[in-house]
Amino acid sequence: GIPPPPDAFGSIPLDELCARASDRQLDRWEGSFTAQGGESRIMGLSISPLKEPEMGFVVIFQDLTELRHLEEKLKKAEKLTALGQMAASIAHEVRNPLASMSGSIQILKDSLHVEDENRKLMDIVLRETGRLDYLVGDFLTYARPPTPHFQDVDLRTIIEETVRFFQSSPESASVDIDLDLPAGPAVLSVDSSQIRQILINLLKNSVDSITGSGRIGIALKREEGKSGLETILLLSDDGSGISEDILPVLFEPFKTTKERGSGLGLAIVYQLVEAHQGRIEVQSREGVGTVISISLPPWRSE
Ligand SMILES: Nc1ncnc2c1ncn2[C@@H]1O[C@H](COP(=O)(O)OP(=O)(O)OP(=O)(O)O)[C@@H](O)[C@H]1O
Ligand SMILES: [Mg+2]
């Protein structure tokens, strides 16, 4: 879709441009044109006089549209990064006073002369400072993802330990978690704390989506995938399913349907999976449940 060379570039006629080029006043020009289809394209023009000026000029037209769009995108991304860094340092600064506040309240609460009514108020302060700290922590992880420290570990152990830890929390009391793990070790080079975080964020979402009692399944398989042999980690639940409005933007930060959600859980999961050269896919139906599938490089068979 490159438009035919215009007789005039911008509003300057070609022969005038050539005259300028021969005076070395101008040998490059750029302008925006409407192509036949109606879309706008950015054209570059360069004119160089031949050795003997009376022989004429070499005139080169170039479609610069893609290049200029890429440059725009880069500029925007840089601005966003600067903003993100600033926000992250503010978030970091918020954590220290937050810790002093909850520490002080904890000490006050433990002193003997606090009436029940006031103790309740202190509990609210503690709960809310805890929540803030958690939120700021999530935000920092998202804004400055920690570099993974890869080590050979048995994925089964990480899964079993994380599930045991998760089941000890009161929020998971009414759900059953079924594990379907391979019989032998599944040794893979990963950052185990990041894999734990992936599992915890996903488990939390599943528990949140279950009202009353429900079931969560975690399976670990090694199978042929899109790019050869892969490790597949499947996490399924029979919860509410993901609402259609949020499904296309699920991994973007701050997309949440929860009154007290930050919408960072899955954005972090996405980043961590990427850091492991992995892929994440979601299948969900409202009222039926959700299956999240994470593919990682294959574990070694021993
Ligand atoms: N297993 C699931 N079942 C149903 N809905 C889900 C599930 N996982 C995610 N969602 C939907 O996707 C949204 C985004 O999830 P995400 O974990 O990123 O944020 P959040 O859970 O709302 O907040 P946060 O994790 O930061 O506390 C959720 O608000 C929820 O609507
Ligand atoms: Mg979440």
Side-chain angles (χ1 to χ4, degrees), residues 170-176 206-215 238-239:
E171 51 184 330
S172 71
S174 57
V175 294
D176 285 327
S206 291
V207 164
D208 285 348
S209 78
I210 293 171
T211 36
S213 62
R215 210 195 62 85
D238 58 3

Side-chain angles (χ1 to χ4, degrees), residues 12-301:
I12 308 174
L14 266 188
D15 34 345
E16 194 179 317
L17 286 175
C18 290
R20 288 197 202 177
S22 59
D23 297 340
R24 292 262 163 230
Q25 278 185 3
L26 168 84
D27 41 23
R28 282 175 166 282
W29 197 256
E30 200 174 310
S32 163
F33 297 89
T34 309
Q36 274 157 346
E39 54 175 334
S40 128
R41 316 253 355 143
I42 299 165
M43 294 286 290
L45 167 73
S46 68
I47 304 174
S48 341
L50 289 171
K51 211 167 180 187
E52 305 295 330
E54 41 313 335
M55 288 178 70
F57 302 88
V58 178
V59 179
I60 299 173
F61 287 96
Q62 239 182 332
D63 188 351
L64 297 175
T65 317
E66 303 305 325
L67 186 71
R68 294 292 175 254
H69 284 180
L70 258 173
E71 282 173 355
E72 287 277 302
K73 255 198 200 160
L74 250 162
K75 266 188 218 151
K76 262 188 212 151
E78 270 167 16
K79 228 187 251 169
L80 269 180
T81 317
L83 257 181
Q85 272 164 359
M86 201 175 79
S89 33
I90 293 174
H92 196 73
E93 291 306 314
V94 165
R95 279 195 132 172
N96 291 330
L98 215 54
S100 332
M101 278 156 70
S102 68
S104 310
I105 294 280
Q106 190 68 58
I107 292 169
L108 278 177
K109 197 185 134 197
D110 292 345
S111 68
L112 292 172
H113 325 287
V114 185
E115 289 164 33
D116 273 359
E117 202 57 26
N118 289 339
R119 204 178 286 271
K120 267 188 205 146
L121 293 176
M122 289 173 174
D123 278 338
I124 294 179
V125 176
L126 281 177
R127 193 186 65 218
E128 295 300 299
T129 43
R131 213 166 71 80
L132 261 179
D133 187 59
Y134 206 89
L135 177 70
V136 171
D138 270 359
F139 177 76
L140 281 172
T141 317
Y142 180 72
R144 301 184 187 154
T147 12
H149 294 290
F150 291 104
Q151 256 180 334
D152 281 355
V153 284
D154 183 1
L155 283 177
R156 297 177 316 163
T157 319
I158 302 184
I159 295 173
E160 280 165 353
E161 284 174 3
T162 311
V163 167
R164 210 172 309 138
F165 164 79
F166 188 73
Q167 276 175 322
S168 67
S169 68
E171 51 184 330
S172 71
S174 57
V175 294
D176 285 327
I177 303 181
D178 293 339
L179 296 186
D180 175 8
L181 304 178
V187 177
L188 189 62
S189 170
V190 294
D191 181 317
S192 48
S193 68
Q194 296 194 350
I195 298 291
R196 279 199 186 90
Q197 175 149 32
I198 291 175
L199 286 167
I200 292 282
N201 287 9
L202 295 179
L203 282 167
K204 272 195 188 152
N205 281 347
S206 291
V207 164
D208 285 348
S209 78
I210 293 171
T211 36
S213 62
R215 210 195 62 85
I216 296 175
I218 299 181
L220 187 65
K221 299 179 199 308
R222 196 160 76 122
E223 53 186 42
E224 210 58 44
K226 282 179 196 151
S227 46
L229 204 55
E230 294 178 337
T231 295
I232 309 280
L233 174 64
L234 278 178
L235 203 135
S236 55
D237 65 59
D238 58 3
S240 62
I242 300 172
S243 85
E244 268 175 35
D245 346 326
I246 211 160
L247 203 52
V249 291
L250 199 62
F251 296 109
E252 287 176 23
F254 313 118
K255 305 288 183 201
T256 181
T257 56
K258 298 172 194 170
E259 206 177 313
R260 314 206 107 192
S262 72
L264 282 171
L266 286 178
I268 290 172
V269 166
Y270 189 85
Q271 272 184 343
L272 298 181
V273 169
E274 288 243 294
H276 282 80
Q277 268 80 53
R279 231 183 30 245
I280 181 163
E281 276 160 29
V282 182
Q283 280 179 302
S284 188
R285 264 182 59 198
E286 279 186 270
V288 180
T290 302
V291 182
I292 307 241
S293 146
I294 294 175
S295 347
L296 297 169
W299 75 72
R300 289 196 296 280
S301 52

